[in-house]
């Protein structure tokens, strides 16, 4: 089945969320990648999602805010923390576009342990900060556990004007309505929904990192092809879909 069209709005509301959370002060950095380098790192049943024959590696830094389960209120302390993830872009046999997380650095140990043990998510515990100074935002991380210990990132962006009409590439990189993964050896697709992104141009002032290489990918060469900022969105995750593509009840 061919990939679904790129949609800037969520394909459907999630009335009974499994998870709720907000993503705030996001910096999106992306480098072009060869699909052949990415394909071996994706879950079974998925292939690299491409635009004009190219796929992308994303380094996304932000503040996670008030993660909550089901319809319960979000947790203010344990559910609020900086996060930086390395992600790839995937499409499955049902045409569903998604993201695949290669690593997710976060600064709260308990959520990291729960995500790793309970959901087999590649979360890692890191010392992190997000600091704003006028129109610049700096994101730092230094990995603690499980490693490689000391893997790090330091990203500083200057936020520019709001983008009125994002390009096809900008929609491709940000309008993602699900996550592909593996849960106890079985393919999993976890849908999400959130309002349309408010995207801003951003100037990359500093990028010193080795998280991409630590995630098993070639070290990025040169400047990112896309640098974006968003003040953020509230998000909802639905229940995982069965292998046939039918949501669980």
């Amino acid at each position: 089945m061919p990939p679904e069209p790129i949609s800037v709005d969520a394909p459907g509301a999630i009335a009974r969320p499994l998870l709720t959370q907000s993503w705030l002060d996001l910096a999106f950095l992306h480098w072009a990648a060869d699909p052949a380098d990415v394909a071996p790192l994706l879950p079974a049943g998925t292939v690299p999602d491409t635009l004009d024959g190219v796929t992308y590696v994303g380094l996304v830094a932000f503040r996670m805010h008030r993660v909550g389960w089901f319809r319960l209120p979000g947790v203010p302390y344990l559910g609020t923390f900086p996060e930086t993830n390395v992600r790839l872009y995937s499409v499955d046999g049902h045409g569903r576009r998604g993201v695949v997380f290669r690593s997710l650095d976060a600064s709260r140990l308990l959520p990291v342990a729960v995500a790793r043990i309970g959901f087999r998510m590649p979360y890692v515990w890191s010392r992190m900060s997000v600091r704003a100074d006028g129109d610049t935002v700096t994101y730092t991380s230094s990995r603690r556990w499980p490693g490689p210990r000391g893997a790090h990132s330091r990203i500083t962006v200057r936020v520019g004007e709001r983008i009125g009409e994002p390009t096809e590439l900008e929609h491709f990189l940000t309008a993602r309505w699900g996550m592909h993964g593996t849960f106890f050896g079985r393919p999993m697709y976890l849908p999400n929904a959130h309002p349309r992104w408010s995207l801003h141009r951003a100037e990359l002032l500093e990028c010193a990192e080795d998280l991409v290489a630590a995630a098993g990918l070639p070290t990025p060469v040169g400047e990112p092809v896309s640098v974006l900022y968003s003040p953020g969105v509230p998000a909802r995750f639905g229940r995982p879909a069965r292998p046939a593509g039918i949501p669980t009840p």
Side-chain angles (χ1 to χ4, degrees), residues 184-208:
F184 289 102
R186 299 186 64 180
M188 177 191 71
Y189 178 77
L190 193 68
N192 72 77
H194 58 73
R196 186 179 296 196
W197 287 108
S198 172
L199 296 173
H200 291 246
R201 303 281 175 218
E203 178 186 1
L204 184 62
L205 302 179
E206 180 182 12
C207 181

Side-chain angles (χ1 to χ4, degrees), residues 30-35 38 54-57 220-221 223-226:
H30 284 93
W31 291 265
D34 186 334
V38 168
V54 178
T55 194
Y56 293 86
V57 175
V221 177
E223 295 293 311
V225 297
S226 175

Side-chain angles (χ1 to χ4, degrees), residues 112-134:
V112 165
V114 169
R116 288 186 66 87
I117 297 169
F119 298 93
R120 302 298 193 267
M121 294 281 290
Y123 266 95
V124 291
W125 182 37
S126 295
R127 182 178 292 106
M128 308 184 75
S129 68
V130 179
R131 294 189 175 91
D133 182 8

Side-chain angles (χ1 to χ4, degrees), residues 34-177:
D34 186 334
D37 291 332
V38 168
L41 303 176
L42 298 182
T46 67
V47 297
D49 196 4
T50 61
L51 185 64
D52 298 326
V54 178
T55 194
Y56 293 86
V57 175
L59 183 64
V60 183
F62 62 101
R63 291 190 298 116
M64 182 77 81
H65 183 66
R66 296 184 74 97
V67 175
W69 288 95
F70 305 106
R71 298 185 183 182
L72 298 174
V75 181
Y77 177 76
L78 287 176
T80 298
F81 46 84
E83 182 174 315
T84 298
N85 62 60
V86 176
R87 71 189 205 180
L88 305 174
Y89 297 93
S90 51
V91 63
D92 63 20
H94 304 285
R96 298 174 298 197
R97 299 178 186 269
V99 300
V100 172
F101 292 108
R102 290 294 299 168
S103 65
L104 304 102
D105 286 70
S107 64
R108 295 276 186 265
L109 178 57
L110 183 58
V112 165
V114 169
R116 288 186 66 87
I117 297 169
F119 298 93
R120 302 298 193 267
M121 294 281 290
Y123 266 95
V124 291
W125 182 37
S126 295
R127 182 178 292 106
M128 308 184 75
S129 68
V130 179
R131 294 189 175 91
D133 182 8
D135 61 355
T136 66
V137 188
T138 298
Y139 312 80
T140 64
S141 71
S142 179
R143 194 165 292 177
R144 289 170 158 171
W145 175 83
R149 189 173 177 86
H152 69 281
S153 66
R154 182 178 175 87
I155 301 164
T156 302
V157 298
R158 177 178 291 125
V159 181
E161 75 277 2
R162 187 176 185 275
I163 303 171
E165 291 293 335
T167 65
E168 184 180 16
L169 174 60
E170 289 161 350
H171 285 316
F172 177 88
L173 297 174
T174 60
R176 293 279 151 175
W177 307 113

Side-chain angles (χ1 to χ4, degrees), residues 24-29 59-62 139 155 157 227-230:
L24 305 178
D25 295 322
L26 299 96
F28 297 91
L29 278 59
L59 183 64
V60 183
F62 62 101
Y139 312 80
I155 301 164
V157 298
V227 181
L228 300 169
Y229 171 85
S230 176

